[in-house]
Amino acid sequence: MHHDMIQDLAEVLITEEAIAHRVRELGAEISRDYCGKELVLAGVLRGALFFLADLARAISIPLAIDFISISSYGPTTKASGVVGIRKDLDESIGGRDLLVIEDIVDTGLTLSYLLKIFRVRQPSSLQVCTFLDRKVRRIIDLPLAYRGFEIPEKFVVGYGLDYDQRYRNLPCIGILKPEVMGR
Ligand code: IMP
Ligand code: MG
């Protein structure tokens, strides 16, 4: 399965099994923490798609699901400058408990932009759950209430994360071979 894409990887960093295990742990933790609250999961398109889908099913309390899409410049590996909202949330989040679901927090610029626009809508609470955390690259320090895995500096793909829109459907997280990224 996924042979051609797997061949483009220098290394599998996180296996499908490890992902499933960690997502179940996060789901249990969130279910406990948000018991009795009005939980809204806000997924950041498109990278958080699979993480949100799996995480939501690992959460055992009622919740709402929504998505936001932001535009940033640059189609490849270094895009971090947020330009604006392409598609906003459909839900109104005032008085509700918003949990932002991200694929990866790298410099933190994207997340800091998102938190700013959500904060003015006055949710009861505002927290972040990121699948990956590349802490070594952080420019803006932000509190991450939940995170799946901390990863090293190298660019990764799979489980929603892309390189030029490819590899999102890889079930694992992998590091691309350098020659693939120049192709
Ligand atoms: P930040 O604004 O620098 O924190 O970058 C966050 C966004 O950049 C993520 O939501 C991803 O869309 C993208 N990104 C950062 N690192 C990677 C990576 O290793 N693979 C794929 N996308 C990435
Ligand atoms: Mg993203």
Side-chain angles (χ1 to χ4, degrees):
M1 242 186 37
H2 301 94
H3 285 306
D4 292 348
M5 284 190 289
I6 294 278
Q7 272 170 15
D8 289 346
L9 300 182
E11 183 192 334
V12 172
L13 198 61
I14 310 169
T15 64
E16 190 175 356
E17 292 73 26
I19 292 171
H21 181 80
R22 186 70 187 116
V23 169
R24 275 196 300 274
E25 289 180 340
L26 288 171
E29 216 180 308
I30 292 166
S31 304
R32 279 194 301 272
D33 295 352
Y34 283 86
C35 185
K37 301 201 169 174
E38 255 200 84
L39 177 59
V40 180
L41 303 183
V44 185
L45 292 172
R46 285 165 265 178
L49 177 66
F50 301 117
F51 179 46
L52 184 143
D54 288 341
L55 183 67
R57 287 175 291 181
I59 296 173
S60 55
I61 59 169
L63 55 81
I65 291 175
D66 206 347
F67 293 97
I68 188 165
S69 175
I70 52 194
S71 37
S72 49
Y73 41 75
T76 51
T77 60
K78 291 277 172 333
S80 267
V82 181
V83 176
I85 302 174
R86 186 179 292 138
K87 182 230 167 280
D88 204 344
L89 297 178
D90 293 320
E91 297 290 312
S92 64
I93 57 171
R96 300 168 83 183
D97 297 284
L98 193 68
L99 184 58
V100 180
I101 310 296
E102 261 284 24
D103 53 356
I104 181 168
V105 180
D106 189 44
T107 61
L109 290 170
T110 306
L111 190 58
S112 112
Y113 172 85
L114 284 169
L115 292 177
K116 229 172 271 166
I117 62 168
F118 289 148
R119 203 169 289 127
V120 298
R121 302 179 191 182
Q122 301 184 314
S124 285
S125 66
L126 178 56
Q127 298 284 5
V128 179
C129 176
T130 186
F131 177 59
L132 300 178
D133 178 10
R134 193 186 286 114
K135 213 174 168 185
V136 291
R137 291 248 308 158
R138 200 67 37 84
I139 292 172
I140 305 174
D141 191 36
L142 300 159
L144 304 176
Y146 310 92
R147 76 154 178 217
F149 302 90
E150 185 174 344
I151 61 160
E153 177 115 38
K154 295 197 174 101
F155 190 81
V156 295
V157 293
Y159 200 60
L161 289 104
D162 72 305
Y163 172 66
D164 235 349
Q165 295 311 321
R166 295 185 61 209
Y167 306 102
R168 288 194 200 274
N169 56 328
L170 259 184
C172 59
I173 289 289
I175 298 172
L176 275 185
K177 288 177 181 164
E179 63 262 33
V180 174
M181 303 193 30
R183 191 151 86 190

